Amino acid sequence: MKKLSKLILSLPLVWACTSGEDPVISEPKIHYYIPEVSSTLQVAGFPQPERNMLSEEGVALGKRLYFDPNLSGNGKVSCATCHSPSLAFTDGLALAKHGVSGKGLHRTSPPLFNLAWQSEGLFWDGGAHDLESLNFAPLTHPDEMGADLNELISYLESDPVYKEQFEFVFSEGQIQSAQISRAISQYVRSLISQDSKYDRWKRSEAELTELELTGYQLYQKNCSSCHQEGLFTDRSFHNNGLDKAYPNPPALEGLYQGRFRITSNPEDMGAYKTPTLRNIVLTAPYMHDGRFQTLEEVLDHYQNGIQVNETLAPALSEGIKLSTTERVAIIAFLNTLTDSLFIQKHQK
Amino acid sequence: MKNLIYTALFGSIMMFSSCDDVEVPATMAMDISLEHVLDGQTLELNGKSFTLPSGEDFTPKKFKYYISNVALRNSVSGETYVEPNSYHLISEDGKKSIDLGMIPSANYDQLTFSIGVDEVANGKTDQTGDLDPNSDMAWNWNTGYKFVVLEGEFTNSNSGERQGLIIHIGTNPNFRTVTQSLTGVIAGSPTSLTLTSNLDELFKDPNILQLSELESTTIMFGEMAGKVAENYSEGFITVK
């Protein structure tokens, strides 16, 4: 299966040679591949940009960059500082202060997996078009890794192992910022969580308990319109009733306005991307600013805390009423979305 | 593929020229230089104060912008040269010229270019050359490029205090294409064009910017950014 996909992938390469672009030196030792995708994700194929196709060597380089604190301005912060594999690539904090400047961030670190399918934009407000473009944000932001891209390139150029890896993966004499971002993107895109108890149950490899099954039904009834089964997100943006009003201090450039900041569409005021519920037990605290510590608090919010305004998602206007036993059941089901295999596999 | 078209274009011009009496070389050197002017004076970023169309004073600190998709055309014969991969970051303290190199010879009488970065190139930032995000022109949280950046200080006429002005205009609706006529370009002769960027035009025509009356002196998105874009769509960059 893997061999076949390599064969198919080598075709566009050959074609690229004859189309008059840069001649590709044919040392086809690069191992392009398409990851296995479980039917339980309910997606078609593995989308990736033509300009940055996954290869084993690219992913390995990206992984090294991802965990390397030397990429940051002070040599102390890596991607993993805020997106740690053991917490499904989050940091367990609401608004972290562990970037280079030590200043608090304004949003919480989302988990990083199944992002290949986030076609409607990345970040809580969908402002980043793709991983390749997004990476420059954490790399250069003073409150995150605070790197100067030119200094970063000097560092990588001076490391013979990096130098060789970059040359191998990208076949260009000079390391460029675009390559750094592409390699990291390959690693991040390769993170796929699809082996939770829920997945195994759907594949008839495991059974859910009575309680978990009840929880599943409650989830389907109350949550699945947004946290759609498969990826457990509809990849869309909604106002789920966290706030009534959205202050806009000029220095923050609309940061509290959610998706509106990107689209300037009044209907998007206070709307954020539906986060996945996969691995949800591992990724507390919750919501874009990490305001809820526990899933109990989240259910309290949906039951009693909904703030009503013009942009509130209609499905939530009455709140979501659940009895005590129903709450226990729904949380039991959410626990079946934890993918220990994925967590183990990606420990550094 | 693009190369092929150029070769074809090139070839046909060669054939053409060989029929003429006077042998016109198939290609000609072409470069464009840019001058930055505010209130009739050459722009400086060293603390010098200028007067804006509103009458307010302004001390510029940073001025950068993208010129893209440069094309030359003879409006009679239709001969056209389109620069491939045409993205130029121009800045007061950096590059102020565009070298088109050797281009097919023609009596070009029209210059077309865009202010900003076209929608396709503006949709991603892992790019190289003048679009490399290392130049501080890529937006981090909203994928795309700043098209025009002007920063500086002015005296607020209401409070009497010095205040910062930040103009960062980008986003696809603010991408503008300009066509200007050229005179005196002769097929086969090396040509240097000069363009003038009139910074006054960012602050007027049709929208006068009265800095002291602005709700926010950080102009990045929304209505005010659109107004500045409207201002720069005409008269901002002109052939000297």
Side-chain angles (χ1 to χ4, degrees), chain A residues 218-289:
Chain A
L218 287 163
Y219 148 77
Q220 282 191 308
K221 176 159 172 275
N222 296 294
C223 323
S224 69
S225 62
C226 298
H227 299 280
Q228 223 167 66
E229 207 167 340
L231 295 172
F232 286 84
T233 164
D234 59 359
R235 297 171 260 189
S236 191
F237 303 84
H238 308 274
N239 169 4
N240 73 338
L242 292 173
D243 297 301
K244 203 164 190 95
Y246 312 97
N248 184 21
L252 289 186
E253 298 168 354
L255 192 103
Y256 296 139
Q257 301 181 319
R259 179 83 176 144
F260 174 82
R261 174 195 210 205
I262 304 300
T263 62
S264 301
N265 179 351
E267 289 173 17
D268 290 334
M269 187 61 88
Y272 290 85
K273 190 171 62 181
T274 310
T276 179
L277 295 182
R278 287 181 173 273
N279 296 305
I280 194 71
V281 175
L282 300 174
T283 63
Y286 303 110
M287 304 301 166
H288 65 270
D289 52 6

Side-chain angles (χ1 to χ4, degrees), chain A residues 136-147:
Chain A
F136 297 109
L139 282 171
T140 60
H141 198 291
D143 301 337
E144 295 179 60
M145 293 168 71

